[in-house]
Amino acid sequence: MFRIAMRTLRFRKGAFVATFLAMTVGAMLVLACGGLMETGIRSEVPAKRLANTRFVVTGNQTWTLPKENPDDPEEDTETAFLGERARLPRALVTDLSRVPGVTAAVGDVTMPVLLGGDRVDAHGWSSAALTPVRLASGTEPSSGEVVLGQGTGARVGERVSLGVRGEAKAFTVSGLVPGTAVFVADADVDRLSGHPGLVDLIGVRASVDAGERIAKVLDGRDATLLSGDDRGIAEYPESSRSGADLIVLAAVFGGFAIMVMLFVVATTLGLSIQQRQRELALLRAVGTTPGQLRRMVIGESLVMAVFAVALGCLLGRFSGPWLFDQLVAHGLAPTAMVHHAGWIPMVVATGAVLIGSFLAALVAGRRAARTRPTEALADAAIQRRWLSWVRVVLAVLAFGGGIALFIVTVAVMTGPVAASTAGPSVMLWAIALALVAPGITKVLLAVLRWPVRAFSGAAGHLAVLSTKTRAVRVAAVVTPIMLATGVATANIYLQTTTIAVANEAFVENLRADLVLAGDVPAGLVDEVRALPGVRAASEYATSTVYVAKPYDSAQSEDGWPVQGVSGSAAAQTTAFHPTAGRLSDLTGDTVALPEAHAAAIGRGIGDRITIRMGDGASVDVRIVALYPARKGFETVLMPASLVATHTTSGLPSQIVVRTDDPGRVAPALARLAAAHPGLAVVDRDSLVSSYAKDQQVGSWINYLMAGMLIAYTAISVVNSLVMATSGRRREFGLQRLTGATKGQVLRMMTVEAGMTTIIGVVLGTVVAFATLVPFTLVTDGSLLPKGPMAIYLAVTGTAALLTFGATLMSTWVGLRTRPVEAAVAPA
């Protein structure tokens, strides 16, 4: 049977190419996502600046969220990644240096500085031994001196100005080293870093067996011991969070890619089997058993899948690194992280395609096995039966799943997190409609019948008759159009709505007329307040905090965004209106909470709670105000000085200014900014524009991944249309033998393509609408998504262009065959 299948392959090259291409692209996408997941799991960041160390000790950059029942060992725990650098006491350097087997322990502090307008990282001179870096000329720095890289163009003995924590500091160049590094005297580190008595990490040069002894010293301290390739995490602490984000990203889009791949392969293979009904019926007529037919279909599908997987994995070796490079280029992954795509992603991609092909072939083979021998004497191309109990059960399950996600999204979720159900939702609605597509297609064809006949004449009459007798096959072509339209519309509008809602929330909370942005030194806010025309000015710092006590049921590993503000100016520079307490009381160790958040933890004005700050420090704070907040965008307010102290930079990032005359105040602010390196004056419009741009960058990866899946579904549209149209050469030949011209056949197919497009777009719109409505209701209270109508028109226009182009091109190719030859060709 397999030899027969291979020998007849030349008569169905179109179906073979279409199915092969669907499998190949599916394997490539799954392998690319699998590579991202392996990269995230490994989170390999080779040590560079710390290459001359055996071990590295850092503060613990993770925190385990409290459990509702701490004594319950079976209760799941969640781990959060701290967004700020967790530092260590400098005294720990001395303790580690005394451990047997330790040659040297060096505390390292990273200090961002401005040198000639460029932001670079400065370190204490003792940190040079961790790389190692050696002097090319000059001497080691003493207090007030600096060693610079030869790439800076500096010379020994000259005076240079460094912007440190918003202040200009003059130094004498005592020496030069290769590269563009900056080293200051160890005696100046505490003064310049803003974190006296603390270090970012400790590099340890020691013997191999010293690891256990070092671990004992660290026991009970909030510290982490790193070795090998993990040492690079100390240089790039954000890599741990980025690795976790890569895992989630790869899991979501990889799972979505697998679902789309299964859908596309099953649809393409099913259409291929439909076109071979006559061939399969003839095989049954000459004595082939149902089991032999099933094995033939499954066998040829698996052989095709093996070669498709090989090519897909080869392409995936290039597409995976390219995709990762795009993430790095847009700041969504650390530049130092190494991409991996080993044998595990390859096995997953291979297994997904082989299993998907097997299941699709199993279903198609079952249909082929039910072919009656007597159908060989009739026109097997006209398939009328499509409904079965299996299809009914699957359709009910898919519709039930889509409705359940709709209800869960509306009833349980809040804010942007509601987008998490969109991926499975769009596939469930697409699968449900695909299962009942033949019935819906018949209904819609009946609706279109009269207008088509009225406006398209004889060509429309022929198209209506053709689609009426081939409704099941029309549904098979409609399905990929529906999937492409639904996936594209839902994913694009999901992003535009998310961005628009986030921008709205930002603008609602923004009360700044002007902003001083950069490293804000202590005391500068008082100078700003003293400027003529300034009504109010507040320091501004952002971070993420966690409620440690009492138990917070609404808290996730993402924590709560916190804004640090100056209490005296908070009422004028923020959009929060307290319903209890006063924002002016935000001084010292205090906090203001959204009403819903306070109610969730059972606390009110005057109560104390324990907050875990962004750097892991625990702070007991008193609640001084409560205010209403937009769901999904709840923000905690704390004093700017408290928030900034527990950030990596240690400084507020902005001064928010309210004024009645921005044109008068802006020049005075500009003069202040000029005296403080790194500061710049930004107006309200520029601030809003900058935030919107940041939102676009954050959504870029979603657009990219969605674009890859949309392109995949578009390929399936072309495949299905070309395959379906090419399989009608015999029909075209018979029409021409009965007097139809090429032009008449092309006009008939044009009308058919129009009807197919309308049905596919209508069903795709239903899929997108059912996916988007719960999200838009939760985030915006609207039934319609936010975004220009041009997006929908572009999606539907592209679907129409693909449908008409693929249909008419394959029809034109089919009409090149002589009518007599086409009429006797295999169906």
Side-chain angles (χ1 to χ4, degrees):
M1 293 302 298
F2 185 70
R3 286 199 301 272
I4 294 175
M6 292 297 102
R7 288 177 180 176
T8 60
L9 181 63
R10 64 190 180 93
F11 298 110
R12 45 189 174 85
K13 293 188 290 290
F16 167 78
V17 171
T19 308
F20 182 83
L21 187 59
M23 294 176 178
T24 300
V25 178
M28 181 186 73
L29 288 178
V30 174
L31 179 59
C33 291
L36 289 183
M37 178 169 284
E38 182 180 355
T39 301
I41 292 173
R42 289 176 178 266
S43 293
E44 182 181 335
V45 182
K48 296 180 179 179
R49 194 172 55 81
L50 305 175
N52 195 37
T53 61
R54 174 81 64 182
F55 304 102
V56 175
V57 179
T58 69
N60 195 349
Q61 289 295 146
T62 61
W63 182 63
T64 302
L65 270 63
K67 298 194 295 185
E68 184 175 10
N69 299 307
D71 298 329
D72 184 2
E74 296 184 0
E75 185 179 345
D76 293 335
T77 58
E78 292 183 277
T79 300
F81 290 94
L82 300 177
E84 313 293 343
R85 167 77 78 169
R87 294 181 168 85
L88 300 167
R90 188 175 292 277
L92 184 57
V93 179
T94 304
D95 294 341
L96 292 178
S97 65
R98 295 171 180 168
V99 174
V102 172
T103 306
V106 179
D108 176 70
V109 177
T110 298
M111 298 163 286
V113 300
L114 285 173
L115 175 61
D118 297 325
R119 185 173 288 272
V120 295
D121 288 336
H123 302 271
W125 175 247
S126 60
S127 299
L130 303 178
T131 306
V133 174
R134 295 181 174 83
L135 284 168
S137 61
T139 61
E140 299 178 4
S142 56
S143 183
E145 295 180 335
V146 65
V147 170
L148 299 180
Q150 292 172 316
T152 63
R155 293 174 297 175
V156 175
E158 74 171 299
R159 298 283 286 176
V160 295
S161 177
L162 297 181
V164 183
R165 296 174 58 80
E167 300 284 359
K169 305 288 185 181
F171 293 87
T172 300
V173 179
S174 67
L176 298 175
V177 294
T180 57
V182 177
F183 292 99
V184 299
D186 292 331
D188 291 337
V189 169
D190 279 354
R191 177 173 58 87
L192 298 176
S193 69
H195 300 284
L198 299 175
V199 295
D200 292 350
L201 58 91
I202 302 172
V204 182
R205 297 203 303 272
S207 58
V208 178
D209 60 351
E212 293 184 4
R213 294 188 289 273
I214 294 174
K216 288 182 180 179
V217 173
L218 299 178
D219 189 29
R221 307 192 192 210
D222 203 11
T224 302
L225 180 63
L226 304 174
S227 61
D229 288 336
D230 290 341
R231 293 171 300 164
I233 297 176
E235 296 184 47
Y236 304 93
E238 71 278 6
S239 60
S240 296
R241 180 61 180 264
S242 297
D245 291 342
L246 277 181
I247 294 172
V248 174
L249 177 71
V252 171
F253 282 100
F256 195 29
I258 290 175
M259 287 192 292
V260 173
M261 184 268 296
L262 292 174
F263 193 95
V264 170
V265 170
T267 302
T268 309
L269 196 57
L271 182 58
S272 173
I273 294 301
Q274 283 184 20
Q275 291 186 328
R276 296 171 60 190
Q277 285 291 97
R278 187 176 182 85
E279 171 195 333
L280 300 176
L282 287 170
L283 288 173
R284 290 283 285 116
V286 297
T288 303
T289 66
Q292 287 176 315
L293 275 184
R294 279 196 298 268
R295 288 192 294 273
M296 181 188 77
V297 172
I298 293 173
E300 64 184 50
S301 176
L302 289 178
V303 169
M304 192 187 314
V306 168
F307 287 100
V309 164
L311 179 57
C313 287
L314 180 62
L315 295 175
R317 305 297 288 187
F318 297 98
S319 62
W322 175 84
L323 180 59
F324 180 73
D325 288 343
Q326 299 307 304
L327 297 180
V328 172
H330 286 78
L332 300 173
T335 56
M337 185 174 284
V338 178
H339 178 262
H340 286 277
W343 62 271
I344 294 180
M346 194 171 295
V347 168
V348 172
T350 301
V353 175
L354 290 180
I355 293 174
S357 301
F358 173 78
L359 293 176
L362 189 65
V363 175
R366 180 176 176 273
R367 185 183 304 156
R370 291 186 304 172
T371 304
R372 299 174 182 176
T374 53
E375 289 182 358
L377 303 177
D379 187 3
I382 303 176
Q383 182 183 353
R384 300 185 184 277
R385 295 170 48 197
W386 63 273
L387 193 62
S388 66
W389 67 268
V390 175
R391 185 184 285 259
V392 171
V393 170
L394 292 176
V396 170
L397 291 175
F399 275 117
I403 294 171
L405 284 178
F406 189 110
I407 296 172
V408 168
T409 303
V410 173
V412 178
M413 296 187 172
T414 59
V417 72
S420 59
T421 61
S425 179
V426 71
M427 289 307 301
L428 283 171
W429 288 113
I431 291 171
L433 288 178
L435 289 168
V436 297
I440 298 176
T441 300
K442 288 182 178 181
V443 173
L444 292 178
L445 285 174
V447 173
L448 293 173
R449 186 180 306 160
W450 298 110
V452 167
R453 284 178 173 174
F455 292 101
S456 55
H461 183 72
L462 287 174
V464 166
L465 291 176
S466 176
T467 53
K468 182 179 179 181
T469 56
R470 298 174 53 258
V472 176
R473 290 199 177 183
V474 172
V477 176
V478 161
T479 298
I481 299 174
M482 172 194 69
L483 181 64
T485 304
V487 168
T489 304
N491 277 284
I492 295 175
Y493 274 118
L494 192 72
Q495 296 307 315
T496 58
T497 302
T498 300
I499 293 172
V501 170
N503 289 341
E504 284 180 3
F506 178 77
V507 172
E508 286 175 4
N509 293 333
L510 182 63
R511 288 294 180 269
D513 299 306
L514 294 169
V515 172
L516 265 180
D519 292 335
V520 178
L524 183 60
V525 68
D526 294 326
E527 295 182 46
V528 173
R529 289 171 183 159
L531 293 176
V534 172
R535 285 199 290 121
S538 169
E539 292 181 320
Y540 181 87
T542 59
S543 185
T544 302
V545 298
Y546 302 85
V547 178
K549 291 180 183 179
Y551 174 74
D552 185 359
S553 60
Q555 184 166 252
S556 71
E557 65 272 15
D558 293 328
W560 297 100
V562 60
Q563 285 185 13
V565 297
S566 301
S568 58
Q572 294 175 279
T573 56
T574 68
F576 301 104
H577 303 289
T579 55
R582 297 179 302 177
L583 294 182
S584 58
D585 291 335
L586 281 171
T587 58
D589 293 342
T590 56
V591 66
L593 296 177
E595 291 176 325
H597 189 187
I601 61 176
R603 296 294 186 271
I605 298 295
D607 292 333
R608 301 192 74 85
I609 62 175
T610 301
I611 294 287
R612 182 73 66 155
M613 303 300 290
D615 62 350
S618 183
V619 180
D620 289 331
V621 294
R622 179 171 53 88
I623 300 174
V624 296
L626 302 177
Y627 50 87
R630 185 172 183 171
K631 285 187 176 181
F633 295 92
E634 296 89 350
T635 300
V636 175
L637 295 181
M638 298 179 77
S641 57
L642 178 60
V643 175
T645 300
H646 296 282
T647 61
T648 300
S649 68
L651 293 173
S653 59
Q654 295 177 357
I655 294 180
V656 179
V657 179
R658 291 300 305 274
T659 175
D660 296 323
D661 189 359
R664 176 189 175 193
V665 175
L669 285 178
R671 288 191 291 272
L672 275 180
H676 298 276
L679 280 179
V681 180
V682 182
D683 61 23
R684 179 184 175 87
D685 292 339
S686 298
L687 203 62
V688 172
S689 176
S690 176
Y691 181 82
K693 184 178 179 180
D694 290 341
Q695 291 295 306
Q696 290 287 353
V697 171
S699 296
W700 174 88
I701 181 58
N702 293 320
Y703 281 123
L704 176 63
M705 301 295 284
M708 293 172 65
L709 295 176
I710 292 168
Y712 185 30
T713 57
I715 291 173
S716 75
V717 170
V718 175
N719 281 347
S720 299
L721 289 166
V722 170
M723 187 167 56
T725 308
S726 300
R728 297 174 64 183
R729 286 181 304 163
R730 185 167 178 267
E731 175 189 337
F732 297 156
L734 290 172
Q735 287 178 336
R736 293 176 63 193
L737 287 175
T738 56
T741 65
K742 288 184 179 181
Q744 288 175 319
V745 175
L746 282 170
R747 286 194 292 274
M748 179 194 75
M749 293 304 295
T750 301
V751 176
E752 281 194 31
M755 297 171 70
T756 302
T757 300
I758 292 173
I759 297 172
V761 167
V762 167
L763 295 183
T765 302
V766 172
V767 169
F769 187 76
T771 302
L772 290 170
V773 164
F775 174 71
T776 56
L777 282 175
V778 168
T779 57
D780 192 46
S782 170
L783 288 175
L784 297 177
K786 291 184 176 294
M789 187 65 180
I791 293 175
Y792 180 73
L793 296 177
V795 170
T796 55
T798 302
L801 184 63
L802 291 173
T803 304
F804 279 96
T807 300
L808 296 181
M809 179 59 69
S810 52
T811 300
W812 178 76
V813 172
L815 291 175
R816 294 175 61 187
T817 306
R818 294 176 56 192
V820 175
E821 295 176 0
V824 298

